[in-house]
Amino acid sequence: PIHVIAHSMGGVFFREFILGGSQWQALNSSPGFKLLFLGAPLGGSFLIPETLSGRGGNISKLSMIDLKHGKKELLQVFSQCPGLYHLLPLSTTPYDFSKQKTWQDLIANSQNIGTPPGDEVIKSYTSFRDNILNKKANIDYKNIIYVAGKSDATTATYEIENNGRDNGVVFKSTPDGDGSVTWASGIPQELIERNAVYYCLTTHGELANEPDI
């Protein structure tokens, strides 16, 4: 039997195979087949806008070890990477990341450290998102299991707040997530209804390394 383990963005890649691959139905019907998602951001992650606005811990660490490029220069490079935007939240509320105004407001209220994506990057993300939203209801989850990790805080959304002098972006976290992906955005409702979701006390990056899983 074929068993597939898809960790993090690997789960997003494999979903593309499910939605667009003609071989998925045969694979899903093969004897003993199982697909295991480990912390896959199937609904996207607010860690991406946090990073692209220059507010995330990952971009801060990168800028510290890169001796030639500052945070703003690194974010200019990141803003041209379409694949990174494919990890954005798929929902259009409370923020629609297919709209330039969403990015303009986010960057302008984050000290203009980040760089808004270009039109081609936005177009790529919109096409990617709409394809998923139009087809995901047809996914057969009968052989799929999701394992969700746990961290003290996972970025879940952001708000633009007025601190009395000017506006600023404040990212909000939830304890219901693995440090990168919240349970609400990562886990498909269909798997919850099928009782095919398991939780463990392991953070996102270590899910594939945890021997007890």
Side-chain angles (χ1 to χ4, degrees), residues 13-53:
F13 285 149
F14 198 84
R15 181 181 55 197
E16 288 297 287
F17 168 77
I18 293 174
L19 295 178
S22 59
Q23 297 178 334
W24 164 245
Q25 186 173 355
L27 178 61
N28 197 31
S29 300
S30 63
F33 171 74
K34 291 293 182 184
L35 167 60
L36 177 63
F37 284 128
L38 297 177
L42 299 178
S45 170
F46 269 90
L47 192 66
I48 304 306
E50 183 180 40
T51 297
L52 292 172
S53 66

Side-chain angles (χ1 to χ4, degrees), residues 39-44 146-152 154-156 174-189 192 197-202 204 207:
L42 299 178
Y146 192 107
V147 173
K150 179 73 172 73
S151 181
D152 292 337
T154 302
T155 302
T174 175
D176 297 335
D178 64 13
S180 295
V181 182
T182 66
W183 298 341
S185 67
I187 305 171
Q189 183 62 32
I192 296 175
V197 180
Y198 298 85
Y199 300 86
C200 64
L201 298 175
T202 304
H204 182 83
L207 281 169

Side-chain angles (χ1 to χ4, degrees), residues 87-159:
L87 297 176
L88 284 166
L90 300 179
S91 174
T92 58
T93 58
Y95 304 103
D96 186 342
F97 291 101
S98 70
K99 306 297 184 184
Q100 277 288 3
K101 188 177 187 310
T102 299
W103 291 102
Q104 291 166 0
D105 290 344
L106 175 62
I107 301 302
N109 291 286
S110 300
Q111 302 177 335
N112 285 302
I113 298 175
T115 299
D119 291 340
E120 288 302 313
V121 171
I122 289 287
K123 182 178 178 180
S124 172
Y125 162 72
T126 304
S127 175
F128 172 82
R129 181 197 66 184
D130 292 351
N131 181 60
I132 295 170
L133 295 180
N134 291 333
K135 295 180 179 179
K136 69 175 185 174
N138 298 322
I139 296 177
D140 182 355
Y141 289 91
K142 66 183 179 184
N143 293 315
I144 302 177
I145 296 170
Y146 192 107
V147 173
K150 179 73 172 73
S151 181
D152 292 337
T154 302
T155 302
T157 188
Y158 67 85
E159 296 177 2

